Amino acid sequence: MEAPRRPATWKTLLAFAIIYFVWGSTFLAIRVGVREVPPLLFAAMRFLVAGLVLFGWMIARGERSPTPRQWTSISLLAVVIFVLDYGSLFWAEQRVPSGVAAVMLATIPAFMALSEVFFLRTQRLTPRLRMALLIGIAGVAMLMSPWLRLSGAPIDPVGASALIFASISWSVASTLTRKLPLPDSKVMSSGAQMLAGGIFLSLAAAAFGEFHNFHPSTVSRGAWLSLLYLIVAGSIIGFTAYVWLIHHQSPTKVGTYAYVNPVVAVLVGYFLGGEPLALRTIAGTVLVLISVLAITTTPSKKPALTSLLAEAQEVTGS
């Protein structure tokens, strides 16, 4: 039996470059957009369009639509991932620099590790894991604490709280993803969840009155381009590259995006977005990334944390 051919090196490098640099840059695109467009509405437009494209593409290819039971699971995940997680992220980026927002979301593995310890029972709270969690907490405290005498202002506590809530929501979603009945096709499942997420975000935007203060004619070209970038590059192209990598590389290798994205986001925010890069941001970022590296490389029972990250990330394409 002939062994499966390895993909061309350039394809692998290109796919990694996309999930590293495109996903890392989406945080600045979000910040550009929410300066002019209400955050929940901006998120709704992104995922509604991306979801329609992916879902419509799969239906056109003859893929079966999700069953009623699967739509129930999809709707639950859509609320947790898109309304609670992404809704909180888009809202928080009105108050927090994009690079710091990415660093705060890098704490997701910490909450997933706690979920493994206390709910899934697939991980033990070892001394190494305790130390990693403490380092992560120290990094977040460094970013938030006004009493630390470091250069750079502490981040807005309300915005930081929203980002922590977003991280917790993502960790909950990663657990639910493994337990709920979903379509076998990852693309169909993701497209349906994006579509449902866009609908629920639209309803949330309407409930918070965001449509009343939104006038498309007043939105600049830069904000519309940022939305286009999020839809095409961040969701559709990024998602395609990620799913391709998952089928050709180990989850551990693909999971390295968790270390690279925050660094890219901080640098893109500094060089392209004019965001400050003070000692406080650098030190907090380093501590959080050390924590992420230690957590994601901690041996555990199956399923490994990197596999959980992979399963959850397949939903959204950043």
Side-chain angles (χ1 to χ4, degrees):
M1 186 175 178
E2 188 176 338
R5 294 178 58 187
R6 295 182 60 185
T9 301
W10 71 267
K11 291 183 179 179
T12 302
L13 293 177
L14 177 60
F16 270 110
I18 290 171
I19 68 169
Y20 283 171
F21 299 106
V22 171
W23 280 356
S25 63
T26 55
F27 290 91
L28 179 60
I30 292 170
R31 185 159 173 82
V32 169
V34 298
R35 287 172 180 161
E36 301 181 40
V37 182
L40 297 179
L41 180 56
F42 192 62
M45 289 189 286
R46 173 190 179 179
F47 291 114
L48 193 58
V49 175
L52 279 170
V53 170
L54 290 174
F55 184 80
W57 177 50
M58 294 308 292
I59 293 295
R61 291 186 59 187
E63 187 73 35
R64 291 180 58 186
S65 181
T67 65
R69 187 181 179 204
Q70 290 171 341
W71 273 117
T72 300
S73 300
I74 286 167
S75 298
L76 175 59
L77 286 172
V79 171
V80 177
I81 294 173
F82 295 96
V83 178
L84 302 184
D85 176 25
Y86 275 97
S88 298
L89 168 63
F90 277 60
W91 182 87
E93 285 214 37
Q94 298 175 115
R95 312 170 70 103
V96 176
S98 63
V100 175
V103 174
M104 293 291 291
L105 285 192
T107 60
I108 288 172
F111 292 107
M112 292 177 69
L114 291 173
S115 176
E116 282 198 273
V117 170
F118 295 109
F119 299 108
L120 298 179
R121 305 292 183 181
T122 56
Q123 181 68 277
R124 292 184 300 107
L125 194 59
T126 61
R128 171 176 172 163
L129 187 55
R130 286 193 186 96
M131 181 59 67
L133 292 170
L134 287 174
I135 291 172
I137 292 170
V140 172
M142 192 166 289
L143 293 170
M144 295 179 61
S145 301
W147 57 82
L148 287 176
R149 295 182 178 276
L150 294 173
S151 61
I155 61 175
D156 178 81
V158 178
S161 299
L163 291 168
I164 291 172
F165 177 75
S167 297
I168 294 172
S169 298
W170 185 278
S171 67
V172 171
S174 68
T175 302
L176 291 174
T177 299
R178 295 187 57 252
K179 296 181 178 295
L180 295 174
L182 296 168
D184 292 331
S185 167
K186 298 295 185 183
V187 182
M188 171 58 79
S189 179
S190 300
Q193 288 179 55
M194 285 188 197
L195 178 58
I199 293 170
F200 286 128
L201 280 164
S202 299
L203 295 174
F208 283 97
E210 290 189 350
F211 285 94
H212 297 305
N213 300 319
F214 176 62
H215 304 285
S217 60
T218 64
V219 178
S220 70
R221 180 183 300 176
W224 288 123
L225 287 175
S226 71
L227 177 62
L228 182 65
Y229 182 77
L230 288 168
I231 293 169
V232 177
S235 290
I236 298 174
I237 295 176
F239 166 79
T240 304
Y242 186 87
V243 171
W244 185 86
L245 278 173
I246 282 295
H247 287 88
H248 292 89
Q249 300 290 326
S250 70
T252 300
K253 288 183 180 179
V254 180
T256 54
Y257 76 87
Y259 324 131
V260 180
N261 285 172
V263 176
V264 171
V266 169
L267 294 177
V268 168
Y270 175 70
F271 287 107
L272 300 182
E275 297 177 354
L277 184 59
L279 178 60
R280 180 189 298 272
T281 301
I282 296 172
T285 300
V286 169
L287 288 177
V288 169
L289 294 184
I290 289 173
S291 172
V292 172
L293 180 61
I295 291 169
T296 55
T297 56
T298 298
S300 65
K301 306 173 188 176
K302 291 184 179 181
L305 181 57
T306 48
S307 297
L308 285 174
L309 278 165
E311 290 174 8
Q313 190 66 42
E314 282 183 357
V315 174
T316 61
S318 176

